[in-house]
């Protein structure tokens, strides 16, 4: 009892929860999914194996993995009428706006997987969302550049298929670069789940009312869009371009330290990590691999690495334990792959969908779960007498 309100034993109703999916030790920079370290998963597993792990709690054996992959592949196409949505958007609509609209609208098509009381429908909606997010995302990109939508290709892996739908065109065969497909797969793994972050908490809160999973994931996409959260990867690249040259870094670091200046170093700091974000390490290594494979010399990478070096030695950042997070290097990789900034957070949403839906499923299947009802500390006028307008 805090003197303000009694602690509610049914703590799920205050937005906090128990979970067995992801463990983070922010002080030690540890991230594990169902007990497996993110470094191991990023290096040794593929994204669909991690999806299986997050949903079922175990890494799949070969037969389980092949069946899961086949099941997901069978859901990669979207209802043909969903194509009509895109024509209703402006060509210059932000792709995250299209994702919010299109994913929410999936509940207008897939009525056979919106009954959350049915375990099979819960699973089918999870498979549909994991399978269709890359298709919906690639369609948003194609629409923005006036190119025809590309259908999924069942002969390709999840990440190969995503790249083919993004960059393939009907007039010629698209050859997927295996190094880029592996890099994309690893990036999806790094973004797959992250415990009770803002967007996952949004999905849980929306789902606690019994809303259908497509609507809940659309709510998660909306929350992820913010620059303090998933929108940071897009904001990092804008910041690196604004800095422009390593000689300008000290000025920006000073701006970030100035409490009167709203500027923050995008891609730095974290609500939980007070040590290096383990995902950022893998992302930086992937960044070097992709730029080497594509033979890209990006001066923004030089700016990013020098910014990290300077910030890591700066007393303010050391004292406040501010390190690069998952978003710091991802944008440089996406840029090298030819993905526009406006699509960076969309890729984060594609990856995070499995985390959202695994956490949603865990909550729905928890018999003690109640509708979410975060508490407040009321600090307003407790009671006042009404005044007629002439007396106000
Ligand atoms: C993601 O929660 C998750 O798990 C999210 C995520 C996921 O996978 O779902 O990890 C993904 O959202 C990563 C974060 C991406 N956002 C950014 O990179 C935006 C830039 N970062 C900041 O906006 C900030 O670090 C936050 C929003 C991420 C965290 O902000 P907090 O909660 O204020 O961080 P804090 O409490 O640790 O801050 C301690 C101090 C504060 O100053 P004081 O009040 O002590 O004086 O450090 C300051 C902050 O103002 N600070 C920064 C800073 N981040 C924090 N100062 C300058 N630059 C920064 N980037």
């Amino acid at each position: 009892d805090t003197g303000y309100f009694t602690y509610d034993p049914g703590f799920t109703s205050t937005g906090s929860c128990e979970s067995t999916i992801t463990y983070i030790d922010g002080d030690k920079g540890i991230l594990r999914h169902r007990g497996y370290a993110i470094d191991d998963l990023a290096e040794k597993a593929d994204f669909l194996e991690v999806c299986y792990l997050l949903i079922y709690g175990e890494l799949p054996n070969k037969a389980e993995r092949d069946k899961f992959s086949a099941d997901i592949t069978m859901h990669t196409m979207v209802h043909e009428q969903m194509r009509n949505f895109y024509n209703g958007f402006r060509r210059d609509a932000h792709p995250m706006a299209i994702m919010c609209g299109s994913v929410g609208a999936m509940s207008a098509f897939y009525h056979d997987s919106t009954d959350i009381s049915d375990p099979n429908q819960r699973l089918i909606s999870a498979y549909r969302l994991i399978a269709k997010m890359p298709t919906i995302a690639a369609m948003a990109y194609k629409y923005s550049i006036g190119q025809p939508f590309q259908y999924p290709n069942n002969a390709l892996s999840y990440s190969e298929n995503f790249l083919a739908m993004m960059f393939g065109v009907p007039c010629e065969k698209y050859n997927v670069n295996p190094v880029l497909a592996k890099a994309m797969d690893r990036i999806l793994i790094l973004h797959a789940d992250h415990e009770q972050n803002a967007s996952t908490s949004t999905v849980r809160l929306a789902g606690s009312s019994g809303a259908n999973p497509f609507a809940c994931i659309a709510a998660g996409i909306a929350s992820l869009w913010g620059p303090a959260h998933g929108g940071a990867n897009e904001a990092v690249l804008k910041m690196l371009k604004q800095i422009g040259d390593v000689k300008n870094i000290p000025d920006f670091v000073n701006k970030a330290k100035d409490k009167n200046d709203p500027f923050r170093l995008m891609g730095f700091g974290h609500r939980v990590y007070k040590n290096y974000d383990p995902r950022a390490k893998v992302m930086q290594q992937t960044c070097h691999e992709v730029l080497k494979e594509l033979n890209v010399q990006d001066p923004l990478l030089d700016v990013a690495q020098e910014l990290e070096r300077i910030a890591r030695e700066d007393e303010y950042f050391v004292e406040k334990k501010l390190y690069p997070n998952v978003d710091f290097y991802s944008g440089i990789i996406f840029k090298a792959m030819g993905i526009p900034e406006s699509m960076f957070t969309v890729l984060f949403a594609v990856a995070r969908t499995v985390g959202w839906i695994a956490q949603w499923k865990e909550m729905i299947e928890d018999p003690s779960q109640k509708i979410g009802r975060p508490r407040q500390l009321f600090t307003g006028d407790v009671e006042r007498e009404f005044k007629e307008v002439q007396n106000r």
Side-chain angles (χ1 to χ4, degrees):
D1 187 332
T2 62
Y4 292 112
F5 50 81
T6 306
Y7 178 68
D8 176 351
F11 55 83
T12 49
S13 68
T14 61
S16 300
C17 67
E18 283 183 20
S19 177
T20 61
I21 298 173
T22 292
Y23 171 76
I24 296 174
D25 181 328
D27 292 330
K28 295 180 184 157
I30 291 173
L31 169 58
R32 297 187 190 123
H33 294 313
R34 305 285 193 180
Y36 295 97
I38 190 64
D39 319 67
D40 283 343
L41 294 172
E43 188 194 327
K44 299 167 185 166
D46 67 28
F47 180 62
L48 282 186
E49 285 177 304
V50 173
C51 289
Y52 187 98
L53 173 67
L54 291 174
I55 289 178
Y56 292 106
E58 298 294 337
L59 283 168
N61 61 34
K62 175 131 181 25
E64 289 162 337
R65 193 214 167 291
D66 293 348
K67 179 166 186 329
F68 183 70
S69 178
D71 289 345
I72 293 292
T73 300
M74 282 304 123
H75 286 290
T76 49
M77 278 205 301
V78 293
H79 190 293
E80 195 66 2
Q81 276 178 235
M82 279 193 70
R83 299 163 70 94
N84 302 334
F85 282 130
Y86 290 79
N87 295 326
F89 295 115
R90 286 175 38 159
R91 290 280 179 180
D92 63 351
H94 194 294
M96 283 296 277
I98 296 178
M99 295 303 286
C100 288
S102 302
V103 173
M106 285 174 76
S107 42
F109 288 95
Y110 301 108
H111 297 144
D112 61 341
S113 56
T114 51
D115 175 358
I116 64 167
S117 65
D118 177 343
N120 291 326
Q121 292 201 30
R122 289 201 293 268
L123 215 46
I124 288 291
S125 63
Y127 280 35
R128 277 183 163 140
L129 280 156
I130 294 167
K132 296 180 196 305
M133 281 297 275
T135 311
I136 291 168
M139 288 169 75
Y141 172 59
K142 285 301 196 188
Y143 182 73
S144 72
I145 58 174
Q147 284 189 1
F149 298 142
Q150 296 299 294
Y151 283 103
N153 175 347
N154 291 353
L156 300 177
S157 74
Y158 190 90
S159 295
E160 290 170 341
N161 196 23
F162 183 40
L163 291 172
M165 290 189 288
M166 283 283 291
F167 299 117
V169 288
C171 22
E172 59 190 36
K173 183 174 177 351
Y174 178 74
N175 296 310
V176 181
N177 179 324
V179 173
L180 298 191
K182 174 71 186 149
M184 179 58 76
D185 213 63
R186 192 186 301 157
I187 291 168
L188 294 175
I189 291 171
L190 294 174
H191 287 88
D193 189 53
H194 210 240
E195 198 225 73
Q196 306 313 316
N197 55 83
S199 53
T200 299
S201 302
T202 301
V203 171
R204 277 183 173 258
L205 202 50
S208 71
S209 74
N212 75 72
F214 303 110
C216 295
I217 298 304
I221 293 171
S223 171
L224 185 75
W225 194 355
H229 189 14
N233 52 18
E234 184 177 349
V236 167
L237 212 69
K238 286 186 169 58
M239 175 188 75
L240 294 174
K241 285 179 180 173
Q242 201 186 356
I243 294 173
D245 186 288
V246 293
K247 70 177 183 307
N248 302 327
I249 290 174
D251 288 348
F252 280 84
V253 168
N254 290 332
K255 271 170 66 69
K257 290 155 54 173
D258 178 355
K259 282 299 160 202
N260 299 318
D261 190 324
F263 175 76
R264 288 284 175 273
L265 280 189
M266 292 289 107
F268 265 82
H270 199 274
R271 280 313 265 125
V272 175
Y273 288 123
K274 301 312 167 191
N275 198 320
Y276 209 95
D277 182 335
R279 301 168 296 177
K281 277 191 197 112
V282 183
M283 199 69 84
Q284 186 184 30
Q285 171 207 328
T286 305
C287 190
H288 286 292
E289 287 171 15
V290 168
L291 267 61
K292 182 168 174 246
E293 170 65 21
L294 296 174
N295 194 25
V296 165
Q297 306 293 331
D298 189 343
L300 295 184
L301 177 59
D302 303 333
V303 173
Q305 290 185 135
E306 180 61 6
L307 173 57
E308 176 182 352
R309 189 192 64 77
I310 293 173
R312 297 273 309 269
E313 291 170 2
D314 183 284
E315 186 189 345
Y316 171 94
F317 288 88
V318 171
E319 182 237 320
K320 293 188 186 292
K321 299 180 180 175
L322 302 174
Y323 294 85
N325 57 48
V326 68
D327 294 306
F328 190 59
Y329 287 103
S330 56
I332 298 171
I333 303 172
F334 293 149
K335 175 173 174 280
M337 288 181 169
I339 295 165
E341 287 169 33
S342 61
M343 284 292 292
F344 289 5
T345 310
V346 171
L347 267 63
F348 195 150
V350 168
R352 186 53 57 89
T353 293
V354 63
W356 287 331
I357 205 67
Q359 299 259 0
W360 169 83
K361 187 172 171 293
E362 179 181 64
M363 175 191 71
I364 295 295
E365 292 170 357
D366 170 359
S368 71
Q369 172 58 36
K370 300 178 183 176
I371 187 168
R373 188 70 174 76
R375 311 303 293 272
Q376 70 163 16
L377 189 57
F378 183 72
T379 56
D381 295 302
V382 176
E383 190 173 6
R384 290 196 278 180
E385 202 170 315
F386 185 78
K387 280 183 188 164
E388 297 303 332
V389 64
Q390 62 271 18
N391 300 327
R392 289 174 204 154

